[in-house]
């Protein structure tokens, strides 16, 4: 009887590996980071190298993939039944093929993958550095920088410059949520990074 209980417990642990109740992602981001071996170090490294807050990195990942390594956008269907891929976005950061190739041409390395947390974190930091270089927003507060960075992340650097986000109310709301979550995460991460 004891073996059945142990097996059932192990099965539940394995089935839920890496997933937490929604409240954990809101109020206990340290638990999420600490439960994944190898997440804290790249977050600290990227924060130091690119001067991006770890809370902003995690907020982008949360809003892009809900921390799912294999995330892809929903497929649309043509004629109601033929599956059609709309975007090549993939992985933790929902990074498109062409943007990933651009990153790899500037940051070459072996076995880089959009499904690897450390590679995605480095990509977000690298993209943030380019964004800040092209858009020096020194007079803005952290919330404004986070919001504007998400616009550039979602729409591309050129789209950000052209303000393609301005007519998309849903994207403006999402960028506000990204900035708010980044601030909340930064407050929580003081205790564990």
């Amino acid at each position: 009887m004891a073996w059945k209980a142990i097996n059932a417990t192990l099965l539940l642990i394995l089935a839920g590996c890496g997933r937490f109740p929604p409240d954990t992602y809101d109020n206990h981001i340290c638990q999420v980071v600490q439960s994944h071996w190898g997440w804290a170090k790249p977050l600290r490294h990227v924060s130091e190298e690119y001067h991006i807050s770890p809370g902003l990195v995690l907020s982008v990942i949360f809003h892009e993939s809900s921390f799912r390594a294999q995330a892809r956008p929903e497929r649309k269907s043509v004629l109601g039944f033929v599956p059609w891929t709309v975007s090549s976005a993939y992985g933790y950061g929902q990074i498109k093929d062409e943007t990933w190739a651009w990153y790899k041409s500037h940051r070459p390395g072996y076995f880089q993958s959009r499904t690897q947390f450390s590679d995605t974190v480095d990509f977000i930091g690298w993209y943030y550095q380019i964004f800040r270089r092209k858009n020096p927003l020194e007079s803005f507060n952290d919330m404004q920088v986070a919001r504007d960075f998400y616009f550039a992340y979602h729409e591309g650097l050129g789209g950000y410059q052209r303000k393609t986000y301005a007519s998309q109310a849903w994207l403006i709301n999402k960028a506000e949520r990204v900035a708010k979550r980044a601030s909340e995460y930064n407050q929580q991460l003081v205790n564990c990074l």
Side-chain angles (χ1 to χ4, degrees):
M1 191 59 115
W3 286 107
K4 286 184 180 181
I6 291 171
N7 287 339
T9 302
L10 287 173
L11 184 60
L12 285 173
I13 290 171
L14 291 174
C17 191
R19 302 305 301 164
F20 295 95
D23 175 65
T24 306
Y25 295 103
D26 294 333
N27 303 313
H28 306 287
I29 196 62
C30 283
Q31 183 180 349
V32 175
V33 171
Q34 292 171 338
S35 72
H36 291 86
W37 183 85
W39 279 22
K41 186 177 177 181
L43 278 171
R44 284 191 302 267
H45 175 75
V46 164
S47 179
E48 291 168 11
E49 182 175 355
Y50 298 114
H51 307 289
I52 183 173
S53 73
L56 179 53
V57 172
L58 291 173
S59 183
V60 168
I61 291 172
F62 173 85
H63 285 279
E64 290 298 304
S65 70
S66 301
F67 295 100
R68 291 176 297 130
Q70 307 286 331
R72 289 187 185 277
E74 286 186 33
R75 287 179 164 219
K76 305 288 184 195
S77 58
V78 177
L79 302 174
F81 64 92
V82 178
W84 188 266
T85 302
V86 177
S87 171
S88 64
Y90 180 59
Y92 282 113
Q94 291 297 281
I95 306 161
K96 293 182 179 179
D97 291 347
E98 57 274 11
T99 311
W100 185 248
W102 179 44
Y103 163 73
K104 287 175 50 174
S105 73
H106 287 83
R107 301 275 296 178
Y110 295 106
F111 310 112
Q112 291 170 313
S113 172
R114 293 174 279 181
T115 63
Q116 292 295 318
F117 182 81
S118 59
D119 292 334
T120 300
V121 166
D122 190 71
F123 169 83
I124 293 170
W126 172 81
Y127 200 81
Y128 178 81
Q129 185 180 54
I130 293 170
F131 164 75
R132 290 304 302 260
R133 203 176 301 136
K134 291 181 180 241
N135 304 284
L137 306 169
E138 299 307 328
S139 64
F140 290 7
N141 65 39
D142 290 344
M143 293 285 282
Q144 288 172 309
V145 171
R147 186 197 66 212
D148 283 3
F149 171 65
Y150 189 72
F151 288 143
Y153 190 88
H154 191 275
E155 297 293 288
L157 295 168
Y160 174 76
Q161 291 289 331
R162 292 187 308 275
K163 299 187 185 305
T164 57
Y165 57 87
S167 63
Q168 301 180 64
W170 69 270
L171 182 55
I172 292 169
N173 290 333
K174 187 171 185 180
E176 293 292 342
R177 291 194 311 270
V178 168
K180 183 176 184 283
R181 184 175 295 271
S183 177
E184 293 167 356
Y185 279 178
N186 283 328
Q187 291 172 4
Q188 294 176 45
L189 291 166
V190 168
N191 300 317
C192 63
L193 278 185

